[in-house]
Every structure is written in structure tokens, then in C-alpha cells.
Amino acid sequence: MSTKTAFITGTTSGFGLAIANRLASLGCNLIITGRRRERLETEAADIRSHYGVEVLPLCFDVRDREVCRQTVESLPERWKQIDLLINNAGLAAGATPVQDGDIDDWERMIDTNVKGLLYISRFVIPLMVKRKSGHVINISSIAGVEVYPSGNVYCATKHAVNAITKGMRIDLLKENIKVSSISPGAAETEFSLVRYHGDQEKADAVYKGIVPLNAEDIADAVEFIVTRPPHVNINDILLTPVRQANTYVYHREG
Ligand SMILES: NC(=O)c1ccc[n+]([C@@H]2O[C@H](COP(=O)([O-])OP(=O)(O)OC[C@H]3O[C@@H](n4cnc5c(N)ncnc54)[C@H](OP(=O)(O)O)[C@@H]3O)[C@@H](O)[C@H]2O)c1
């Protein structure tokens, strides 16, 4: 792959971190983002020394519309030549029947997974349109295809991501901008720990008796998508662990 610049949200752990390393291994310069500054700085230094690419770490919250705007607008000119936008930052918060749902958790998911993705897209995509070139990859979920018990609002946010992805694909067709998504099933990252508000036992139970996906599996999907020839667009890659049939049917060992 010729030298490209990728803007990846949520790279302080999980998929984002693996995707950042993978794209760096392919020679991309990176803008990496997240709220945990220390992790971002360490990651930037590690990636620079391992892969010899340029890395710009930007610490901000995707829920803050004005900060998203200022962050993108104040990028140095050469960093505005963004070839790849990976909208990855996101989370599940809680898993509760809708009638008992924590409204603060709902707001966090909607504000991050839907509004945050839209803010970043709104400010980055015009830079691609100007150059008539680019590729947006939205990290969705199997939860965007099917719902599951107590998954209500998280599933709604990922259904929204899928609608936004399809809408983007239509709107950006004439701009020569590819739009793809990745829809993973259960993957072991910090995702479940965040979902269960730090309860390690509940987080571990999600992966009990299965071999979950890992962040490298998602980086593999990204690598496949970005290395297709110019005339090919991968619309979506849906991948699950072997022991997961859909959002709620698992075959657990033991
Ligand atoms: N793991 C799974 O089973 C799974 C399956 C399907 C889809 N997904 C999706 O994959 C994406 C990545 O999740 P993951 O599994 O890699 O989880 P993770 O390990 O918890 O990583 C989430 C990343 O998002 C960032 N983030 C969260 N809220 C943010 C905010 N308000 N502003 C900026 N950054 C924010 C976090 O950084 P900071 O905390 O430093 O801000 C972190 O880098 C999410 O969209 C998730 O919904 C995950």
C-alpha cells in the first residue's frame, strides 16, 4: 500500500489499538485518538519506533461536538490529507431490560456510538470530498443486524450505525469515497468490562466456554478491506466466533 494517512477513533485499547498497529505495519501514517492521554502517548511512541511511521496522538472525547470540530479544523495541513477514516470509538453501557434501563447509560451509548461517529464524519469527510478520494470504515456490530435480550439501546445504536453507513455510501458515491463497515460478534477487549462498569466476573462470563474473537481478527478484516483494488468496495464484513450463531445463540463448552 502506498503511504496513506489514517484517522482512527478509540485507539487506546481493543480493536482501535490493533487496527492502528496493523495500518502502521502497512506503512500508514496515523492520527490516533481516545480520552486516555497517557495510553495514547505511549502508543504513539511505540508505533513510531516499531514501524517508523508518523503518528499524531489527539486526546479528546468524541461526544463533544465543538472539540471534534476544532480538533479536525486545527490539524496541520499535511495531516488533513486523510485517506482512511476508521470510526471505531464506541461502547456498550449496561445490559438491562428496557423497563429498568439506566438513562445515563443510554445517553452515553447514543452520544458516543451515533452522535460521536457523526461529528467526526461530518468534519473529516469534507476533507476527503475536496480531494475526491477516501475510505470510511465504520465499526458496527452483529448487534446492528439482530437484537438480543437486554441489548435494546446498544443494538439500536449499531442499527443506526448501519443506516448511517448505507446512507454515506449513497451520498459519497459520486465523490469517489469508499464506505465499508465491520460487524463483529463477541470479541474479548475492554468492551465487556466497560459494559459491566468494571465488574470483571460479569465481563469474563461473556466469553465463558467460547473462544471469542480478538482485536487482531478485526485488524485482519480492516487489512482485507483496505488492500482491495480501487474498483472493489467491501460493503460489510460480519464475523463471529465459531461458537456464536447469532447475537444470542452460543454453544458454550462445559
Ligand atoms: N468487543 C466486542 O465484542 C465488540 C463487538 C462488536 C462491535 N464492537 C465495537 O467495536 C468498537 C471498539 O470496541 P472494543 O471492543 O475495542 O472496546 P474497548 O477495548 O473498550 O475500546 C473502546 C475504545 O473506544 C474509545 N472510546 C470510548 N468512548 C469514547 C469517547 N467518548 N471518546 C473517545 N473515545 C472513546 C476508548 O478510548 P478511551 O476510553 O481512552 O476514550 C477505547 O479506545 C466499539 O464501537 C464497539 O461497539 C465491539
Side-chain angles (χ1 to χ4, degrees), residues 9-17 33-37 39 60-63 87-92 112-113 139-143 154 158 182-192 194 207 215:
T9 63
T11 66
T12 54
S13 69
F15 300 169
L17 180 58
T33 76
R35 291 164 300 174
R36 287 170 286 183
R37 186 178 299 279
R39 286 196 188 195
F60 66 97
D61 190 325
V62 296
R63 291 173 296 180
N87 279 313
N88 165 73
L91 80 165
T112 311
N113 301 358
I139 305 299
S140 185
S141 170
I142 193 172
Y154 178 67
K158 293 301 185 178
I182 299 176
S183 302
E188 193 163 12
T189 58
E190 293 180 10
F191 178 82
S192 292
V194 170
Y207 311 113

mmCIF file of all heavy atoms in Angstrom, residues 9-17 33-37 39 60-63 87-92 112-113 139-143 154 158 182-192 194 207 215, ligand 1:
data_model
loop_
_atom_site.group_PDB
_atom_site.id
_atom_site.type_symbol
_atom_site.label_atom_id
_atom_site.label_comp_id
_atom_site.label_asym_id
_atom_site.label_seq_id
_atom_site.Cartn_x
_atom_site.Cartn_y
_atom_site.Cartn_z
ATOM 1 N N THR A 9 -10.511 6.473 15.417
ATOM 2 C CA THR A 9 -11.009 6.877 16.737
ATOM 3 C C THR A 9 -10.966 5.684 17.699
ATOM 4 O O THR A 9 -11.147 4.533 17.293
ATOM 5 C CB THR A 9 -12.446 7.428 16.671
ATOM 6 O OG1 THR A 9 -13.341 6.394 16.231
ATOM 7 C CG2 THR A 9 -12.544 8.618 15.728
ATOM 8 N N GLY A 10 -10.700 5.987 18.971
ATOM 9 C CA GLY A 10 -10.717 4.949 20.008
ATOM 10 C C GLY A 10 -9.588 3.953 19.879
ATOM 11 O O GLY A 10 -9.809 2.747 19.751
ATOM 12 N N THR A 11 -8.353 4.476 19.945
ATOM 13 C CA THR A 11 -7.211 3.569 19.739
ATOM 14 C C THR A 11 -6.487 3.231 21.044
ATOM 15 O O THR A 11 -5.422 2.636 21.011
ATOM 16 C CB THR A 11 -6.168 4.181 18.770
ATOM 17 O OG1 THR A 11 -5.602 5.324 19.385
ATOM 18 C CG2 THR A 11 -6.782 4.545 17.442
ATOM 19 N N THR A 12 -7.071 3.616 22.196
ATOM 20 C CA THR A 12 -6.348 3.358 23.450
ATOM 21 C C THR A 12 -6.499 1.922 23.938
ATOM 22 O O THR A 12 -5.882 1.542 24.929
ATOM 23 C CB THR A 12 -6.833 4.321 24.557
ATOM 24 O OG1 THR A 12 -8.256 4.208 24.644
ATOM 25 C CG2 THR A 12 -6.425 5.751 24.276
ATOM 26 N N SER A 13 -7.348 1.129 23.276
ATOM 27 C CA SER A 13 -7.452 -0.296 23.633
ATOM 28 C C SER A 13 -8.155 -1.039 22.501
ATOM 29 O O SER A 13 -8.551 -0.434 21.502
ATOM 30 C CB SER A 13 -8.226 -0.485 24.945
ATOM 31 O OG SER A 13 -9.581 -0.159 24.760
ATOM 32 N N GLY A 14 -8.282 -2.352 22.687
ATOM 33 C CA GLY A 14 -9.127 -3.174 21.831
ATOM 34 C C GLY A 14 -8.868 -3.067 20.338
ATOM 35 O O GLY A 14 -7.724 -3.039 19.881
ATOM 36 N N PHE A 15 -9.962 -3.000 19.598
ATOM 37 C CA PHE A 15 -9.875 -3.012 18.130
ATOM 38 C C PHE A 15 -9.018 -1.850 17.616
ATOM 39 O O PHE A 15 -8.190 -2.024 16.715
ATOM 40 C CB PHE A 15 -11.261 -2.875 17.483
ATOM 41 C CG PHE A 15 -12.254 -3.955 17.809
ATOM 42 C CD1 PHE A 15 -13.595 -3.797 17.449
ATOM 43 C CD2 PHE A 15 -11.882 -5.128 18.461
ATOM 44 C CE1 PHE A 15 -14.534 -4.793 17.730
ATOM 45 C CE2 PHE A 15 -12.820 -6.114 18.757
ATOM 46 C CZ PHE A 15 -14.148 -5.931 18.385
ATOM 47 N N GLY A 16 -9.264 -0.667 18.172
ATOM 48 C CA GLY A 16 -8.587 0.528 17.665
ATOM 49 C C GLY A 16 -7.077 0.413 17.762
ATOM 50 O O GLY A 16 -6.350 0.777 16.825
ATOM 51 N N LEU A 17 -6.617 -0.127 18.880
ATOM 52 C CA LEU A 17 -5.172 -0.294 19.085
ATOM 53 C C LEU A 17 -4.600 -1.288 18.067
ATOM 54 O O LEU A 17 -3.551 -1.039 17.449
ATOM 55 C CB LEU A 17 -4.926 -0.787 20.523
ATOM 56 C CG LEU A 17 -3.492 -1.036 20.946
ATOM 57 C CD1 LEU A 17 -2.635 0.212 20.804
ATOM 58 C CD2 LEU A 17 -3.458 -1.526 22.411
ATOM 59 N N THR A 33 -6.598 8.455 18.406
ATOM 60 C CA THR A 33 -7.408 9.268 19.320
ATOM 61 C C THR A 33 -8.009 8.429 20.445
ATOM 62 O O THR A 33 -8.106 7.205 20.352
ATOM 63 C CB THR A 33 -8.571 9.953 18.557
ATOM 64 O OG1 THR A 33 -9.566 8.965 18.294
ATOM 65 C CG2 THR A 33 -8.135 10.570 17.245
ATOM 66 N N GLY A 34 -8.429 9.136 21.481
ATOM 67 C CA GLY A 34 -9.063 8.500 22.640
ATOM 68 C C GLY A 34 -9.028 9.499 23.779
ATOM 69 O O GLY A 34 -8.468 10.591 23.631
ATOM 70 N N ARG A 35 -9.612 9.130 24.913
ATOM 71 C CA ARG A 35 -9.627 10.084 26.040
ATOM 72 C C ARG A 35 -8.461 9.858 26.994
ATOM 73 O O ARG A 35 -8.136 10.730 27.769
ATOM 74 C CB ARG A 35 -10.943 9.957 26.812
ATOM 75 C CG ARG A 35 -12.151 10.445 26.048
ATOM 76 C CD ARG A 35 -13.424 9.954 26.684
ATOM 77 N NE ARG A 35 -13.452 8.494 26.703
ATOM 78 C CZ ARG A 35 -14.377 7.757 27.284
ATOM 79 N NH1 ARG A 35 -15.365 8.336 27.935
ATOM 80 N NH2 ARG A 35 -14.322 6.435 27.242
ATOM 81 N N ARG A 36 -7.837 8.673 26.975
ATOM 82 C CA ARG A 36 -6.772 8.381 27.955
ATOM 83 C C ARG A 36 -5.411 8.795 27.396
ATOM 84 O O ARG A 36 -4.782 8.068 26.629
ATOM 85 C CB ARG A 36 -6.829 6.898 28.334
ATOM 86 C CG ARG A 36 -8.032 6.598 29.233
ATOM 87 C CD ARG A 36 -8.262 5.141 29.439
ATOM 88 N NE ARG A 36 -8.821 4.475 28.275
ATOM 89 C CZ ARG A 36 -9.161 3.191 28.230
ATOM 90 N NH1 ARG A 36 -8.987 2.437 29.302
ATOM 91 N NH2 ARG A 36 -9.673 2.664 27.130
ATOM 92 N N ARG A 37 -5.002 9.991 27.824
ATOM 93 C CA ARG A 37 -3.821 10.641 27.247
ATOM 94 C C ARG A 37 -2.550 9.807 27.378
ATOM 95 O O ARG A 37 -1.797 9.650 26.414
ATOM 96 C CB ARG A 37 -3.608 12.007 27.893
ATOM 97 C CG ARG A 37 -2.497 12.817 27.279
ATOM 98 C CD ARG A 37 -2.371 14.169 27.920
ATOM 99 N NE ARG A 37 -3.563 14.990 27.777
ATOM 100 C CZ ARG A 37 -3.861 15.687 26.677
ATOM 101 N NH1 ARG A 37 -3.055 15.657 25.640
ATOM 102 N NH2 ARG A 37 -4.969 16.418 26.609
ATOM 103 N N ARG A 39 -2.031 6.609 27.720
ATOM 104 C CA ARG A 39 -2.017 5.453 26.801
ATOM 105 C C ARG A 39 -1.729 5.907 25.365
ATOM 106 O O ARG A 39 -0.987 5.252 24.641
ATOM 107 C CB ARG A 39 -3.359 4.727 26.827
ATOM 108 C CG ARG A 39 -3.590 3.904 28.070
ATOM 109 C CD ARG A 39 -4.728 2.953 27.795
ATOM 110 N NE ARG A 39 -5.151 2.250 28.999
ATOM 111 C CZ ARG A 39 -5.924 1.174 28.984
ATOM 112 N NH1 ARG A 39 -6.378 0.698 27.838
ATOM 113 N NH2 ARG A 39 -6.280 0.588 30.089
ATOM 114 N N PHE A 60 -9.169 13.479 22.960
ATOM 115 C CA PHE A 60 -10.443 14.197 23.086
ATOM 116 C C PHE A 60 -11.610 13.207 23.173
ATOM 117 O O PHE A 60 -11.457 12.013 22.901
ATOM 118 C CB PHE A 60 -10.659 15.177 21.911
ATOM 119 C CG PHE A 60 -10.836 14.503 20.576
ATOM 120 C CD1 PHE A 60 -12.115 14.269 20.068
ATOM 121 C CD2 PHE A 60 -9.748 14.092 19.830
ATOM 122 C CE1 PHE A 60 -12.299 13.638 18.841
ATOM 123 C CE2 PHE A 60 -9.915 13.457 18.602
ATOM 124 C CZ PHE A 60 -11.189 13.233 18.102
ATOM 125 N N ASP A 61 -12.762 13.761 23.544
ATOM 126 C CA ASP A 61 -13.984 12.967 23.714
ATOM 127 C C ASP A 61 -14.856 13.165 22.468
ATOM 128 O O ASP A 61 -15.236 14.307 22.162
ATOM 129 C CB ASP A 61 -14.711 13.462 24.976
ATOM 130 C CG ASP A 61 -15.854 12.561 25.391
ATOM 131 O OD1 ASP A 61 -16.531 11.988 24.510
ATOM 132 O OD2 ASP A 61 -16.077 12.433 26.602
ATOM 133 N N VAL A 62 -15.186 12.083 21.787
ATOM 134 C CA VAL A 62 -15.966 12.229 20.546
ATOM 135 C C VAL A 62 -17.385 12.744 20.791
ATOM 136 O O VAL A 62 -18.079 13.123 19.856
ATOM 137 C CB VAL A 62 -16.046 10.911 19.715
ATOM 138 C CG1 VAL A 62 -14.679 10.474 19.207
ATOM 139 C CG2 VAL A 62 -16.745 9.802 20.479
ATOM 140 N N ARG A 63 -17.802 12.765 22.056
ATOM 141 C CA ARG A 63 -19.157 13.267 22.351
ATOM 142 C C ARG A 63 -19.235 14.788 22.328
ATOM 143 O O ARG A 63 -20.324 15.350 22.357
ATOM 144 C CB ARG A 63 -19.612 12.770 23.732
ATOM 145 C CG ARG A 63 -19.866 11.283 23.761
ATOM 146 C CD ARG A 63 -20.139 10.818 25.157
ATOM 147 N NE ARG A 63 -18.979 11.009 26.026
ATOM 148 C CZ ARG A 63 -18.937 10.682 27.305
ATOM 149 N NH1 ARG A 63 -19.998 10.150 27.880
ATOM 150 N NH2 ARG A 63 -17.844 10.871 28.017
ATOM 151 N N ASN A 87 -14.055 4.842 12.026
ATOM 152 C CA ASN A 87 -14.928 5.231 13.144
ATOM 153 C C ASN A 87 -15.109 4.017 14.043
ATOM 154 O O ASN A 87 -15.983 3.176 13.818
ATOM 155 C CB ASN A 87 -16.291 5.687 12.609
ATOM 156 C CG ASN A 87 -16.277 7.107 12.114
ATOM 157 O OD1 ASN A 87 -15.757 8.006 12.786
ATOM 158 N ND2 ASN A 87 -16.852 7.340 10.935
ATOM 159 N N ASN A 88 -14.264 3.952 15.078
ATOM 160 C CA ASN A 88 -14.240 2.775 15.930
ATOM 161 C C ASN A 88 -14.687 3.061 17.362
ATOM 162 O O ASN A 88 -15.264 2.198 18.016
ATOM 163 C CB ASN A 88 -12.801 2.214 15.929
ATOM 164 C CG ASN A 88 -12.566 1.219 17.040
ATOM 165 O OD1 ASN A 88 -13.063 0.088 16.984
ATOM 166 N ND2 ASN A 88 -11.827 1.624 18.076
ATOM 167 N N ALA A 89 -14.436 4.280 17.861
ATOM 168 C CA ALA A 89 -14.743 4.586 19.266
ATOM 169 C C ALA A 89 -16.196 4.249 19.564
ATOM 170 O O ALA A 89 -17.098 4.627 18.819
ATOM 171 C CB ALA A 89 -14.477 6.056 19.561
ATOM 172 N N GLY A 90 -16.418 3.519 20.637
ATOM 173 C CA GLY A 90 -17.787 3.162 20.974
ATOM 174 C C GLY A 90 -17.809 2.295 22.200
ATOM 175 O O GLY A 90 -16.762 1.857 22.694
ATOM 176 N N LEU A 91 -19.010 2.061 22.677
ATOM 177 C CA LEU A 91 -19.126 1.246 23.886
ATOM 178 C C LEU A 91 -20.552 0.748 24.068
ATOM 179 O O LEU A 91 -21.498 1.285 23.481
ATOM 180 C CB LEU A 91 -18.729 2.070 25.116
ATOM 181 C CG LEU A 91 -19.782 3.050 25.688
ATOM 182 C CD1 LEU A 91 -19.373 3.490 27.069
ATOM 183 C CD2 LEU A 91 -19.977 4.259 24.796
ATOM 184 N N ALA A 92 -20.650 -0.312 24.898
ATOM 185 C CA ALA A 92 -21.943 -0.693 25.452
ATOM 186 C C ALA A 92 -21.875 -0.289 26.917
ATOM 187 O O ALA A 92 -20.830 -0.406 27.551
ATOM 188 C CB ALA A 92 -22.156 -2.192 25.319
ATOM 189 N N THR A 112 -22.012 8.553 22.108
ATOM 190 C CA THR A 112 -20.704 8.088 21.614
ATOM 191 C C THR A 112 -20.859 7.367 20.267
ATOM 192 O O THR A 112 -20.233 7.743 19.274
ATOM 193 C CB THR A 112 -20.055 7.107 22.627
ATOM 194 O OG1 THR A 112 -20.094 7.676 23.928
ATOM 195 C CG2 THR A 112 -18.615 6.786 22.239
ATOM 196 N N ASN A 113 -21.703 6.328 20.267
ATOM 197 C CA ASN A 113 -21.750 5.428 19.108
ATOM 198 C C ASN A 113 -22.400 6.061 17.882
ATOM 199 O O ASN A 113 -22.041 5.725 16.746
ATOM 200 C CB ASN A 113 -22.530 4.149 19.458
ATOM 201 C CG ASN A 113 -21.920 3.385 20.623
ATOM 202 O OD1 ASN A 113 -20.890 3.767 21.160
ATOM 203 N ND2 ASN A 113 -22.567 2.300 21.033
ATOM 204 N N ILE A 139 -17.002 0.899 12.403
ATOM 205 C CA ILE A 139 -17.040 -0.335 13.191
ATOM 206 C C ILE A 139 -18.435 -0.452 13.795
ATOM 207 O O ILE A 139 -18.813 0.293 14.704
ATOM 208 C CB ILE A 139 -15.944 -0.368 14.288
ATOM 209 C CG1 ILE A 139 -14.551 -0.135 13.682
ATOM 210 C CG2 ILE A 139 -16.015 -1.709 15.036
ATOM 211 C CD1 ILE A 139 -14.076 -1.152 12.643
ATOM 212 N N SER A 140 -19.191 -1.357 13.225
ATOM 213 C CA SER A 140 -20.556 -1.606 13.690
ATOM 214 C C SER A 140 -20.519 -2.828 14.605
ATOM 215 O O SER A 140 -19.607 -2.972 15.428
ATOM 216 C CB SER A 140 -21.475 -1.805 12.490
ATOM 217 O OG SER A 140 -22.798 -1.929 12.933
ATOM 218 N N SER A 141 -21.488 -3.735 14.444
ATOM 219 C CA SER A 141 -21.550 -4.927 15.304
ATOM 220 C C SER A 141 -22.609 -5.849 14.736
ATOM 221 O O SER A 141 -23.522 -5.399 14.022
ATOM 222 C CB SER A 141 -21.958 -4.504 16.718
ATOM 223 O OG SER A 141 -22.259 -5.632 17.506
ATOM 224 N N ILE A 142 -22.525 -7.116 15.127
ATOM 225 C CA ILE A 142 -23.633 -8.025 14.815
ATOM 226 C C ILE A 142 -24.905 -7.507 15.500
ATOM 227 O O ILE A 142 -26.021 -7.774 15.039
ATOM 228 C CB ILE A 142 -23.287 -9.478 15.246
ATOM 229 C CG1 ILE A 142 -24.285 -10.473 14.647
ATOM 230 C CG2 ILE A 142 -23.205 -9.611 16.757
ATOM 231 C CD1 ILE A 142 -23.924 -11.936 14.862
ATOM 232 N N ALA A 143 -24.725 -6.702 16.545
ATOM 233 C CA ALA A 143 -25.864 -6.081 17.237
ATOM 234 C C ALA A 143 -26.566 -5.046 16.360
ATOM 235 O O ALA A 143 -27.655 -4.569 16.702
ATOM 236 C CB ALA A 143 -25.401 -5.425 18.536
ATOM 237 N N TYR A 154 -28.044 -0.483 23.041
ATOM 238 C CA TYR A 154 -26.774 -0.720 22.323
ATOM 239 C C TYR A 154 -27.084 -1.184 20.899
ATOM 240 O O TYR A 154 -26.504 -0.680 19.928
ATOM 241 C CB TYR A 154 -25.912 -1.754 23.056
ATOM 242 C CG TYR A 154 -24.623 -2.065 22.310
ATOM 243 C CD1 TYR A 154 -23.641 -1.085 22.167
ATOM 244 C CD2 TYR A 154 -24.417 -3.319 21.716
ATOM 245 C CE1 TYR A 154 -22.467 -1.347 21.446
ATOM 246 C CE2 TYR A 154 -23.252 -3.581 21.010
ATOM 247 C CZ TYR A 154 -22.284 -2.590 20.881
ATOM 248 O OH TYR A 154 -21.133 -2.847 20.160
ATOM 249 N N LYS A 158 -26.170 0.498 17.083
ATOM 250 C CA LYS A 158 -25.448 -0.157 15.988
ATOM 251 C C LYS A 158 -26.350 -0.316 14.755
ATOM 252 O O LYS A 158 -25.861 -0.296 13.621
ATOM 253 C CB LYS A 158 -24.859 -1.495 16.457
ATOM 254 C CG LYS A 158 -23.730 -1.320 17.500
ATOM 255 C CD LYS A 158 -22.569 -0.472 16.953
ATOM 256 C CE LYS A 158 -21.400 -0.383 17.930
ATOM 257 N NZ LYS A 158 -20.257 0.377 17.408
ATOM 258 N N ILE A 182 -17.611 -3.020 9.450
ATOM 259 C CA ILE A 182 -17.232 -4.324 10.007
ATOM 260 C C ILE A 182 -18.198 -4.590 11.161
ATOM 261 O O ILE A 182 -18.463 -3.705 11.983
ATOM 262 C CB ILE A 182 -15.769 -4.317 10.502
ATOM 263 C CG1 ILE A 182 -14.828 -4.014 9.339
ATOM 264 C CG2 ILE A 182 -15.412 -5.662 11.151
ATOM 265 C CD1 ILE A 182 -13.357 -3.897 9.728
ATOM 266 N N SER A 183 -18.739 -5.811 11.168
ATOM 267 C CA SER A 183 -19.763 -6.161 12.163
ATOM 268 C C SER A 183 -19.311 -7.379 12.966
ATOM 269 O O SER A 183 -19.654 -8.517 12.628
ATOM 270 C CB SER A 183 -21.084 -6.466 11.445
ATOM 271 O OG SER A 183 -21.490 -5.349 10.678
ATOM 272 N N PRO A 184 -18.548 -7.157 14.026
ATOM 273 C CA PRO A 184 -18.049 -8.296 14.794
ATOM 274 C C PRO A 184 -19.092 -8.842 15.765
ATOM 275 O O PRO A 184 -19.937 -8.106 16.266
ATOM 276 C CB PRO A 184 -16.864 -7.715 15.589
ATOM 277 C CG PRO A 184 -16.613 -6.350 15.036
ATOM 278 C CD PRO A 184 -17.928 -5.896 14.464
ATOM 279 N N GLY A 185 -18.963 -10.153 16.031
ATOM 280 C CA GLY A 185 -19.666 -10.770 17.154
ATOM 281 C C GLY A 185 -18.809 -10.598 18.394
ATOM 282 O O GLY A 185 -17.998 -9.660 18.477
ATOM 283 N N ALA A 186 -18.953 -11.545 19.341
ATOM 284 C CA ALA A 186 -18.283 -11.384 20.640
ATOM 285 C C ALA A 186 -16.761 -11.385 20.512
ATOM 286 O O ALA A 186 -16.175 -12.338 20.021
ATOM 287 C CB ALA A 186 -18.721 -12.508 21.566
ATOM 288 N N ALA A 187 -16.154 -10.309 20.962
ATOM 289 C CA ALA A 187 -14.694 -10.179 20.903
ATOM 290 C C ALA A 187 -14.188 -9.746 22.269
ATOM 291 O O ALA A 187 -14.795 -8.893 22.922
ATOM 292 C CB ALA A 187 -14.311 -9.139 19.857
ATOM 293 N N GLU A 188 -13.076 -10.338 22.682
ATOM 294 C CA GLU A 188 -12.550 -10.005 24.014
ATOM 295 C C GLU A 188 -11.610 -8.806 23.930
ATOM 296 O O GLU A 188 -10.523 -8.888 23.363
ATOM 297 C CB GLU A 188 -11.844 -11.208 24.642
ATOM 298 C CG GLU A 188 -11.587 -10.980 26.120
ATOM 299 C CD GLU A 188 -11.280 -12.266 26.867
ATOM 300 O OE1 GLU A 188 -11.034 -13.309 26.209
ATOM 301 O OE2 GLU A 188 -11.278 -12.215 28.115
ATOM 302 N N THR A 189 -12.075 -7.703 24.498
ATOM 303 C CA THR A 189 -11.304 -6.451 24.583
ATOM 304 C C THR A 189 -11.669 -5.875 25.957
ATOM 305 O O THR A 189 -12.054 -6.624 26.845
ATOM 306 C CB THR A 189 -11.744 -5.478 23.466
ATOM 307 O OG1 THR A 189 -13.151 -5.244 23.620
ATOM 308 C CG2 THR A 189 -11.474 -6.029 22.075
ATOM 309 N N GLU A 190 -11.631 -4.556 26.091
ATOM 310 C CA GLU A 190 -12.126 -3.963 27.350
ATOM 311 C C GLU A 190 -13.639 -3.738 27.297
ATOM 312 O O GLU A 190 -14.237 -3.208 28.228
ATOM 313 C CB GLU A 190 -11.398 -2.632 27.622
ATOM 314 C CG GLU A 190 -9.928 -2.837 27.924
ATOM 315 C CD GLU A 190 -9.178 -1.540 28.204
ATOM 316 O OE1 GLU A 190 -9.820 -0.481 28.362
ATOM 317 O OE2 GLU A 190 -7.949 -1.599 28.266
ATOM 318 N N PHE A 191 -14.238 -4.128 26.179
ATOM 319 C CA PHE A 191 -15.655 -3.859 25.911
ATOM 320 C C PHE A 191 -16.582 -4.325 27.043
ATOM 321 O O PHE A 191 -17.412 -3.548 27.532
ATOM 322 C CB PHE A 191 -16.009 -4.559 24.594
ATOM 323 C CG PHE A 191 -17.433 -4.438 24.156
ATOM 324 C CD1 PHE A 191 -17.881 -3.307 23.486
ATOM 325 C CD2 PHE A 191 -18.344 -5.462 24.380
ATOM 326 C CE1 PHE A 191 -19.194 -3.195 23.056
ATOM 327 C CE2 PHE A 191 -19.657 -5.367 23.958
ATOM 328 C CZ PHE A 191 -20.085 -4.232 23.291
ATOM 329 N N SER A 192 -16.433 -5.587 27.477
ATOM 330 C CA SER A 192 -17.378 -6.113 28.481
ATOM 331 C C SER A 192 -17.109 -5.512 29.859
ATOM 332 O O SER A 192 -18.036 -5.302 30.650
ATOM 333 C CB SER A 192 -17.317 -7.637 28.527
ATOM 334 O OG SER A 192 -17.827 -8.147 27.306
ATOM 335 N N VAL A 194 -16.112 -2.497 30.375
ATOM 336 C CA VAL A 194 -16.756 -1.176 30.310
ATOM 337 C C VAL A 194 -18.270 -1.355 30.433
ATOM 338 O O VAL A 194 -18.938 -0.662 31.193
ATOM 339 C CB VAL A 194 -16.381 -0.458 28.986
ATOM 340 C CG1 VAL A 194 -17.229 0.791 28.771
ATOM 341 C CG2 VAL A 194 -14.892 -0.104 28.972
ATOM 342 N N TYR A 207 -17.452 -14.461 27.851
ATOM 343 C CA TYR A 207 -16.579 -15.258 26.979
ATOM 344 C C TYR A 207 -16.428 -16.698 27.471
ATOM 345 O O TYR A 207 -15.637 -17.453 26.922
ATOM 346 C CB TYR A 207 -15.200 -14.578 26.887
ATOM 347 C CG TYR A 207 -15.306 -13.093 26.576
ATOM 348 C CD1 TYR A 207 -14.941 -12.137 27.510
ATOM 349 C CD2 TYR A 207 -15.833 -12.664 25.354
ATOM 350 C CE1 TYR A 207 -15.065 -10.780 27.234
ATOM 351 C CE2 TYR A 207 -15.964 -11.321 25.073
ATOM 352 C CZ TYR A 207 -15.574 -10.373 26.018
ATOM 353 O OH TYR A 207 -15.712 -9.040 25.734
ATOM 354 N N ALA A 215 -8.872 -8.738 18.994
ATOM 355 C CA ALA A 215 -8.708 -7.489 18.234
ATOM 356 C C ALA A 215 -7.953 -7.715 16.922
ATOM 357 O O ALA A 215 -8.210 -7.029 15.922
ATOM 358 C CB ALA A 215 -7.983 -6.459 19.101
HETATM 359 N N1 LIG B 1 -15.732 -6.226 21.738
HETATM 360 C C1 LIG B 1 -16.833 -6.611 21.135
HETATM 361 O O1 LIG B 1 -17.385 -7.684 21.433
HETATM 362 C C2 LIG B 1 -17.426 -5.768 20.042
HETATM 363 C C3 LIG B 1 -18.266 -6.398 19.115
HETATM 364 C C4 LIG B 1 -18.827 -5.648 18.097
HETATM 365 C C5 LIG B 1 -18.545 -4.318 17.989
HETATM 366 N N2 LIG B 1 -17.735 -3.712 18.907
HETATM 367 C C6 LIG B 1 -17.474 -2.276 18.717
HETATM 368 O O2 LIG B 1 -16.097 -2.099 18.459
HETATM 369 C C7 LIG B 1 -15.685 -0.791 18.842
HETATM 370 C C8 LIG B 1 -14.419 -0.888 19.670
HETATM 371 O O3 LIG B 1 -14.716 -1.621 20.849
HETATM 372 P P1 LIG B 1 -13.632 -2.534 21.603
HETATM 373 O O4 LIG B 1 -14.217 -3.891 21.699
HETATM 374 O O5 LIG B 1 -12.299 -2.359 21.019
HETATM 375 O O6 LIG B 1 -13.740 -1.881 23.083
HETATM 376 P P2 LIG B 1 -12.660 -1.180 24.018
HETATM 377 O O7 LIG B 1 -11.481 -2.043 24.207
HETATM 378 O O8 LIG B 1 -13.439 -0.761 25.238
HETATM 379 O O9 LIG B 1 -12.228 0.123 23.182
HETATM 380 C C9 LIG B 1 -13.100 1.207 23.008
HETATM 381 C C10 LIG B 1 -12.313 2.417 22.517
HETATM 382 O O10 LIG B 1 -13.237 3.488 22.295
HETATM 383 C C11 LIG B 1 -12.759 4.658 22.941
HETATM 384 N N3 LIG B 1 -13.855 5.499 23.385
HETATM 385 C C12 LIG B 1 -14.957 5.134 24.099
HETATM 386 N N4 LIG B 1 -15.705 6.205 24.374
HETATM 387 C C13 LIG B 1 -15.075 7.276 23.829
HETATM 388 C C14 LIG B 1 -15.348 8.661 23.780
HETATM 389 N N5 LIG B 1 -16.438 9.178 24.338
HETATM 390 N N6 LIG B 1 -14.481 9.493 23.144
HETATM 391 C C15 LIG B 1 -13.367 8.985 22.557
HETATM 392 N N7 LIG B 1 -13.053 7.682 22.559
HETATM 393 C C16 LIG B 1 -13.900 6.832 23.194
HETATM 394 C C17 LIG B 1 -11.935 4.135 24.122
HETATM 395 O O11 LIG B 1 -10.934 5.087 24.464
HETATM 396 P P3 LIG B 1 -10.922 5.975 25.805
HETATM 397 O O12 LIG B 1 -11.612 5.204 26.879
HETATM 398 O O13 LIG B 1 -9.459 6.221 26.067
HETATM 399 O O14 LIG B 1 -11.635 7.215 25.417
HETATM 400 C C18 LIG B 1 -11.285 2.897 23.518
HETATM 401 O O15 LIG B 1 -10.104 3.261 22.858
HETATM 402 C C19 LIG B 1 -16.877 -0.165 19.543
HETATM 403 O O16 LIG B 1 -17.562 0.667 18.632
HETATM 404 C C20 LIG B 1 -17.753 -1.365 19.902
HETATM 405 O O17 LIG B 1 -19.097 -1.034 19.999
HETATM 406 C C21 LIG B 1 -17.151 -4.409 19.912
#
